[in-house]
Amino acid sequence: MARIVVKFGGTSMANIERIRHSARHVKREIEAGNQVTVVVSAMSGKTNELVGWVNEGSKLHDAREYDAVVASGEQVTAGLMAIVLSEMGVQSRSFAGWQVPIHTDDSHGAARITGIDPTELDKRMNEGWVPVVTGFQGISPHGRITTLGRGGSDTSAVAVAAAVGADRCDIYTDVDGVYTTDPRIVPKAQRMTKISFEEMLEMASLGAKVLMIRSVEMAMAHKVRLTVRSSFDDPDAPQIGPDGRPGVPGTLVCDEDEIMEKQIVSGVTLAKAEAKITLRDVKDSPGVAAAIFGTLADKGIIVDMIVQNIADDGATTDITFTVPDSEYEKAVKALESNGGRFEYARLSGSRGGAKVSVVGVGMRSHAGVAASMFKALADKGINIQLITTSEIKTSVLIDEEYAELAVRALHTYYGLDRKDA
Ligand code: ADP
Ligand code: ASP
Ligand code: MG
């Protein structure tokens, strides 16, 4: 017997027919003698609709009310999943975040889980019931509903899995695993049998939205075995792992030690809608960078890539960085009216950048990945505007117009294309 937490994303919960199909995966696990807790997302498109209504109500809404509205999508699907499971003969009960309870801090709209009481879930599972928990939400220290940020149901699932000591956490989605790049952009993308937590973390933070970053961080910290698989598979088909033996189909996210063959580049990611801002002739003295980025941080603006040039004259320097397109105006305003915290001669910037990255743990021990990446892009006539690197990734900012071309070119260049495609 295994204890499993299974999570169904929006497309897996899109309507009653899909919920019924997803429920059959749960029924199969129960019939195999396993204990299961389900975590659900809202129906696909629902959260966007709810966010739209909130903004229509008022652009300057209170974040507590945003959460009250936006968390409701998961309440609908949790109840429906429990109804459908019960009708199939699987005893099931839904739980909203506060009923578990899933405790969070009070950062409404981007709350972090601080603790989960496993007592009720434990009891239900030991009695043969299937608890269905609303993903994406929890309860604040003040007793109000919170949400975890977009894509947060993945994090709910991993946190619940850690809390109940699950043997594994299966993320059911609309692709049958983690691919070398988004299979919607590159049809030749290959499914990975395994990916390390570190690589998955980089891929998630660089734009592969198949798993929310926080969920990977949490799985890594709590050693939760995570699989990504498709809910669209036939629930009654034999369960065959990626190695061809009986097991969990899909991609296993695991410790690097479990991966024998370390690729230099294992994946390519794309994040669009990046805006670039340059401050020219910034006074070059200690504390200036802190003042500039402190000004942005005070406004809650997340800065991504940063490049600072060495001052020619020893007195001034240029600083360029990126922020999400949606934060561009707010960032420019904050910099222009900085209350004398720092000085610069000119500000210039533009929206519509794309960040393309290559990721691989093999980069730790291989030189020249950045150089080969730049060459592959140059061969396609793609101009690089900014570069950042870490131990296991290299990212470049390019014009959004060339984003897909760049992803495809790099995917081919690093030998990641499916051989039969
Ligand atoms: P869910 O609603 O199930 O949470 P998401 O839409 O959040 O699903 O995530 C699944 C999607 O992630 C896929 O449909 C796919 O287009 C996208 N995706 C991006 N990068 C990757 C990747 N490297 N591997 C697999 N899917 C990816
Ligand atoms: N429904 C939420 C969203 O769309 C959470 C999730 O799907 O993970 O962001
Ligand atoms: Mg998701």
Side-chain angles (χ1 to χ4, degrees), residues 7-12 41 154 172-175 177-184 203 207-211:
K7 179 254 168 176
F8 294 105
T11 35
S12 311
S41 290
D154 296 330
Y172 284 82
T173 180
D174 57 2
V175 275
V178 179
Y179 278 70
T180 44
T181 192
D182 190 339
R184 287 180 209 284
M203 285 189 63
K209 69 162 186 167
V210 63
L211 287 175

Side-chain angles (χ1 to χ4, degrees), residues 7-10 40-43 45-48 70 74 135-136 149-155:
K7 179 254 168 176
F8 294 105
V40 293
S41 290
M43 292 180 181
K46 189 37 106 181
T47 310
N48 284 346
V70 170
E74 273 71 12
F136 182 51
R150 299 306 304 273
S153 298
D154 296 330
T155 306

Side-chain angles (χ1 to χ4, degrees), residues 50 92 109-110 128 165 182 230 245 256 261 272 291 307 352 395 418:
L50 295 169
S92 180
D182 190 339
S230 172
R245 292 203 295 256
E256 201 177 316
E261 204 184 322
K272 284 190 173 177
V307 174
S395 301
R418 232 176 44 228

Side-chain angles (χ1 to χ4, degrees), residues 186-307:
V186 182
K188 290 180 190 167
Q190 295 188 64
R191 188 178 65 182
M192 303 182 197
T193 54
K194 288 181 182 177
I195 179 170
S196 69
F197 285 123
E198 288 86 349
E199 285 172 320
M200 193 64 241
L201 202 57
E202 288 281 14
M203 285 189 63
S205 69
L206 295 169
K209 69 162 186 167
V210 63
L211 287 175
M212 194 206 199
I213 309 170
R214 279 287 295 144
S215 71
V216 186
E217 270 172 14
M218 202 174 279
M220 195 166 155
H222 296 275
K223 299 254 177 261
V224 174
R225 278 181 93 74
L226 204 58
T227 64
V228 177
R229 56 177 298 179
S230 172
S231 72
F232 288 69
D233 288 350
D234 175 4
D236 302 319
Q239 298 293 290
I240 305 293
D243 57 0
R245 292 203 295 256
V248 187
T251 301
L252 175 69
V253 188
C254 59
D255 267 335
E256 201 177 316
D257 314 342
E258 281 189 56
I259 300 173
M260 302 304 282
E261 204 184 322
K262 303 212 185 349
Q263 302 278 349
I264 299 173
V265 170
S266 1
V268 183
T269 61
L270 168 62
K272 284 190 173 177
E274 303 257 342
K276 185 176 67 166
I277 297 176
T278 300
L279 295 177
R280 300 228 182 255
D281 297 340
V282 179
K283 198 164 158 256
D284 193 18
S285 60
V288 170
I292 292 172
F293 295 109
T295 300
L296 296 169
D298 289 348
K299 297 279 178 208
I301 298 168
I302 295 175
V303 175
D304 182 11
M305 309 168 94
I306 301 177
V307 174

Side-chain angles (χ1 to χ4, degrees), residues 374-389:
F374 306 154
K375 164 107 185 30
L377 294 173
D379 286 349
K380 295 282 174 197
I382 300 171
N383 188 40
I384 298 170
Q385 303 174 9
L386 280 180
I387 301 162
T388 54
T389 61

